[in-house]
Amino acid sequence: MRLLGWLGLLFGLTASLIVPATALDREAFTIARYDLEARLEPEQQRLGARGKITLRNDSGQSQRVVALQISSSLNWRSIRVDGKPVQYVSQPYMSDIDHTGALSEAIVTLPAEIKPKDSVEVEIGYEGVIPLDGTRLTRIGVPEEIAKHSSWDQISPSFTAVRGAGYVAWYPITTESADFSEGNSLFEVVDRWKKREQDASMKLSLSTEPGTHDRNLLLLCNGIGSNVDTREGSTHDHYARCGYERFGLATPTFAMANYHDQSKPPFYLFSFPGHEAGGATYSNALEPATKFVSEWFGPPSAPVAIVDFADPNSAPFESGTLLMASMAAQDSKLAGINVVHELVHSALPSSKPWVYEGLAHFAEAMYREQQGGRQAALDLLGLHRAAFLDSEKEVSAALQKNGKPKVVEQKIVEQKVIGQPLAGTFDETYYRSKAAYVWWMLRDMIGDDAMKQAIRKYRAEHNNNKDNDRDPKYVEQLIEAAAKRDLSWFFDDWVYQDRGLPDFHVQSVHPWKTENGVQIVTVTLENLGNAGAEVPFTIICEGGEITKRIEVRAKGTATTRVELPGTASKIVVNDGSVPESDLTNNVFRVPAL
Ligand SMILES: [Zn+2]
C-alpha cells in the first residue's frame, strides 16, 4: 500500500513536470551554438561530453520548458543555467531519429521564461556508450546482417565512426518523434532539424588516450580546421578539434582507427592496413581528377578527407568535406568519381544544398562522360532517377487532380507534404539526384563554355565574400548572363517550384519531299507534364540517324522540320538526359509514305 502510494506520488509528480499546462513544443527551441568537449574511451565504447549550448526560442510563444534529447544509450549527468543546477526529468522518448530507436530526453524547466527570439545558455554534461545498434531498422523487419551495413555507427577499439543528428544523437537535439515505419516521417523530422540548424555553429574538441598499442591511432572530425595529432609512440592524448561556423548541410561526424595515412594535403586519405591497394586507387585518381575539376570549378583548395571502413560492406556516407567509403576493393571508376566529387566541394563552397551537392554529382557524370562517353554519364545519372521519381509522380498526380498548374512553395495535399522546390530543399534525393539532372540539362542547353563561365563567376564572387547566393535568382542570373538566353521558365519549373516531371511523346510526324527530292520530316512533340524542358530526339532513317534538340514547355507542343538523308523509320524522344515521369511512350514508328 505504502509503496503504491509512493509510486503514485512519484508518477504524479513526474507526469506534472512532463506535461505542463500547455502541451510541450519540442521544436520550439533551436540550438544555435554548441561548445562541446568529448572524451572517447574505445575499450569501454564510452563517450563522455560536457560543454555549453545556446538555446534560442524560435516559436511564437514564451517558453519555460525545453526537451533536450541525446541517444538512449547516453545519460544526462548535469544540466545547469548560470552555474546553478536546473530542475529536469529524464525519460526515454521513442524516436527513429537515433540508431537505437529511442532518445534520452531531459525535460528541463528553465529558471525563467524565454521570450520568442531570446536565447539562454545551458551547461550540460552527459555520458554513456555508443555500441553498434541497428534497432531502428531491425524492428521494422530489416535483417540484422543488412542493418549493420547501413547502421554502422559505433565506438569500439578497432573502429570508431559516429555520425550526428539523423544517425546518432551524440550531441543534444530538440525534435518531435520520428517513425521509420510511417512513410516519410523520419526523413521529414531530420530534414526539418537540418533546416532549423543550418545556421547553427559548433566548436568541438575530441580526445582519447591511445594507449601504447595504438601508436598510429588517428582521430578526426569533419568540420573545417580539424587538427589531427598522430605523434607516434607516446601515450599522450590524441585529439581532434573541429569548428563548424555554420552547419549548412554538414552532419557533425567523428572517426577513429589505426589508419594508414596516404594523404597529400589538402587531400586526406586514410585506409585500413590491408586496404593499401584500394587506397592507392584513390591516390592514383587524384591527379587526373584534380586536372578535370580545376578546369571546370577552379583549383581545389579546402581540405577534404576520404576515410576507409573496417567493414567493406558498409554503406558510404558523405557530409561536407568528409567521405567515408570502403577501400577494400580496387574500383578505379568508383574511386575516380568519388575523388572528383570531394574535389568539387574543395573548389566550390556554397550555402545552397542544390548547388553544393548538385554540382558535385553533376561533375561525377561529366567525368564519366570524359572517360566513357555520353552514355556512360547518362547511365550514372540514371542511377539517381529512381531516388526522386516516385515523389515526383505524386506531384504530377496531385497537379493533375487539382487541375491548376500554379504551385505554392510547398504543396500540402490531404495533409501530406509532397514535392520540394529544389532551391530550398534539405531533402537529399532532391538536392543530390534531381539537382544533378538539373545541372546536366542546363549544360546541355547552354554548352560547356557558358557553363564554365557561370561557375567561375559564382566561385569568384563567393571567394570575395559576396554571398550573392542569398538572392533566390542569383544562379539563374549568372547562367542567363553567360548563355545570353532567357531561362526563367526552366528555373520556374525545376528550381523555384516543384512541378513534377515532363512526359514527352511524338504527337505527329509528316514526312514529305521537296521539289528537289530532299526528304524532310515535320515532327511535333507534346509534353504532357507540368515541367518544361529542352529534350533531344533522334530520327533513325536510311543511311543513319540525326539527333536534334527542341524546347517543349509544360503542357505544350513544339514543332520542327528536319532534313534527312533517307526515309525515316523511327523517332526516339529523350536519350535519358531529361528525367521523365513516363518513358514508355517515347518511341514512335514512322508509317511508310
Ligand atoms: Zn557531396
Side-chain angles (χ1 to χ4, degrees):
M1 254 326 253
R2 202 178 159 82
L3 184 67
L4 274 175
W6 271 107
L7 278 176
L9 181 66
L10 274 174
F11 182 75
L13 193 76
T14 317
S16 69
L17 279 169
I18 292 172
V19 189
T22 52
L24 174 58
D25 178 359
R26 289 188 162 83
E27 304 196 352
F29 285 96
T30 297
I31 304 182
R33 195 181 149 71
Y34 295 84
D35 190 347
L36 295 177
E37 257 176 56
R39 180 90 183 152
L40 307 177
E41 290 170 49
E43 300 288 338
Q44 282 77 45
Q45 305 196 287
R46 286 193 82 76
L47 171 135
R50 62 197 171 106
K52 284 182 277 191
I53 54 175
T54 305
L55 300 170
R56 187 185 58 230
N57 180 2
D58 279 347
S59 76
Q61 273 108 42
S62 292
Q63 303 283 343
R64 179 90 196 266
V65 179
V66 56
L68 295 177
Q69 302 153 341
I70 48 177
S71 175
S72 70
S73 66
L74 302 171
N75 299 297
W76 289 101
R77 286 291 172 247
S78 106
I79 301 176
R80 299 159 81 92
V81 173
D82 287 333
K84 293 186 200 79
V86 292
Q87 203 184 5
Y88 71 90
V89 177
S90 189
Q91 63 170 15
Y93 182 61
M94 297 297 278
S95 176
D96 284 334
I97 199 163
D98 188 78
H99 66 158
T100 62
L103 295 161
S104 290
E105 186 174 64
I107 309 290
V108 182
T109 306
L110 297 164
E113 276 206 336
I114 307 297
K115 293 200 183 79
K117 302 282 164 241
D118 279 3
S119 296
V120 58
E121 194 176 82
V122 181
E123 292 158 61
I124 50 167
Y126 55 92
E127 62 182 343
V129 292
I130 303 181
L132 193 70
D133 193 328
T135 304
R136 70 172 172 182
L137 294 173
T138 52
R139 77 176 171 206
I140 55 163
V142 178
E144 201 158 337
E145 254 318 286
I146 312 261
K148 75 173 190 194
H149 294 149
S150 64
S151 204
W152 39 256
D153 307 80
Q154 60 185 295
I155 296 177
S156 81
S158 58
F159 174 68
T160 291
V162 182
R163 296 167 285 187
Y167 302 93
V168 181
W170 62 267
Y171 49 86
I173 56 173
T174 55
T175 57
E176 291 295 338
S177 173
D179 189 342
F180 236 140
S181 61
E182 264 182 41
N184 283 326
S185 156
L186 173 64
F187 301 108
E188 280 165 18
V189 173
V190 174
D191 294 347
R192 210 160 58 224
W193 170 253
K194 287 197 147 187
K195 208 164 189 163
R196 285 162 60 209
E197 288 289 302
Q198 57 179 313
D199 290 315
S201 65
M202 182 186 272
K203 227 170 88 184
L204 171 67
S205 170
L206 288 164
S207 67
T208 190
E209 191 180 307
T212 41
H213 59 291
D214 286 338
R215 42 184 66 187
N216 295 321
L217 193 72
L218 236 143
L219 177 58
L220 56 109
C221 39
N222 67 336
I224 290 162
S226 50
N227 186 343
V228 186
D229 188 344
T230 53
R231 268 175 291 170
E232 284 191 7
S234 77
T235 53
H236 77 298
D237 275 7
H238 278 202
Y239 62 86
R241 289 189 186 122
C242 284
Y244 307 80
E245 263 181 51
R246 179 179 179 278
F247 282 150
L249 279 184
T251 302
T253 299
F254 61 86
M256 181 170 69
N258 280 305
Y259 282 121
H260 177 58
D261 188 349
Q262 289 169 275
S263 304
K264 288 178 193 160
F267 183 78
Y268 291 87
L269 186 63
F270 302 113
S271 61
F272 269 100
H275 294 176
E276 282 88 352
T281 317
Y282 275 86
S283 268
N284 296 338
L286 185 59
E287 202 191 302
T290 303
K291 191 168 168 272
F292 171 78
V293 170
S294 301
E295 197 191 309
W296 270 92
F297 302 89
S301 54
V304 294
I306 301 187
V307 178
D308 197 5
F309 279 116
D311 169 7
N313 295 314
S314 298
F317 167 72
E318 194 216 15
S319 175
T321 51
L322 169 75
L323 170 69
M324 298 200 61
S326 174
M327 296 174 198
Q330 298 173 54
D331 184 338
S332 57
K333 263 190 208 165
L334 182 64
I337 57 174
N338 279 346
V339 172
V340 162
H341 186 111
E342 296 311 309
L343 291 177
V344 172
H345 289 333
S346 172
L348 200 85
S350 168
S351 59
K352 287 282 189 312
W354 81 277
V355 176
Y356 186 71
E357 287 300 343
L359 279 177
H361 287 283
F362 161 64
E364 286 184 32
M366 286 198 297
Y367 197 55
R368 287 293 301 124
E369 182 185 43
Q370 193 189 63
Q371 295 179 326
R374 184 172 170 94
Q375 195 52 49
L378 295 180
D379 289 347
L380 180 64
L381 281 175
L383 301 175
H384 281 283
R385 190 164 42 220
F388 61 97
L389 190 61
D390 285 346
S391 163
E392 293 291 41
K393 276 185 180 170
E394 277 186 60
V395 174
S396 300
L399 288 172
Q400 223 75 348
K401 209 166 94 186
N402 291 359
K404 42 180 181 230
K406 275 264 181 266
V407 187
V408 288
E409 198 201 325
Q410 221 171 29
K411 289 161 297 302
I412 299 175
V413 178
E414 284 149 13
Q415 290 311 304
K416 204 170 153 252
V417 177
I418 57 165
Q420 306 262 347
L422 196 57
T425 187
F426 270 69
D427 178 330
E428 279 202 283
T429 56
Y430 281 79
Y431 69 68
R432 291 182 188 276
S433 300
K434 187 177 179 181
Y437 271 106
V438 166
W439 286 108
W440 184 274
M441 287 189 285
L442 281 168
R443 176 214 178 199
D444 269 352
M445 283 192 275
I446 72 174
D448 285 8
D449 290 342
M451 194 71 175
K452 282 180 189 171
Q453 195 187 321
I455 292 171
R456 263 201 303 276
K457 188 123 192 262
Y458 188 99
R459 177 185 151 107
E461 297 200 341
H462 195 283
N463 288 348
N464 278 335
N465 263 333
K466 283 199 224 155
D467 201 358
N468 295 332
D469 207 357
R470 297 263 168 192
D471 175 351
K473 298 217 159 168
Y474 176 55
V475 173
E476 181 196 328
Q477 285 156 4
L478 278 184
I479 289 188
E480 285 177 338
K484 298 180 179 64
R485 177 170 166 185
D486 173 22
L487 290 165
S488 56
W489 61 274
F490 181 84
F491 277 81
D492 269 338
D493 288 359
W494 291 91
V495 181
Y496 308 142
Q497 312 278 357
D498 186 354
R499 296 206 161 117
L501 300 174
D503 177 14
F504 302 105
H505 76 120
V506 174
Q507 193 187 55
S508 64
V509 174
H510 296 294
W512 49 284
K513 268 186 193 165
T514 62
E515 284 167 11
N516 309 331
V518 179
Q519 300 219 35
I520 300 209
V521 281
T522 305
V523 181
T524 299
L525 296 188
E526 185 179 18
N527 179 359
L528 301 166
N530 290 291
E534 188 188 282
V535 68
F537 66 97
T538 300
I539 304 173
I540 290 110
C541 54
E542 279 171 66
E545 54 179 63
I546 287 179
T547 296
K548 296 274 181 195
R549 304 180 57 81
I550 188 168
E551 190 180 297
V552 197
R553 301 284 178 93
K555 298 276 177 208
T557 57
T559 302
T560 188
R561 285 194 310 188
V562 184
E563 205 180 296
L564 299 175
T567 310
S569 58
K570 199 164 80 173
I571 298 176
V572 180
V573 186
N574 196 358
D575 60 356
S577 56
V578 179
E580 257 191 83
S581 55
D582 183 1
L583 283 165
T584 61
N585 54 357
N586 289 39
V587 180
F588 184 88
R589 297 197 183 277
V590 183
L593 262 178

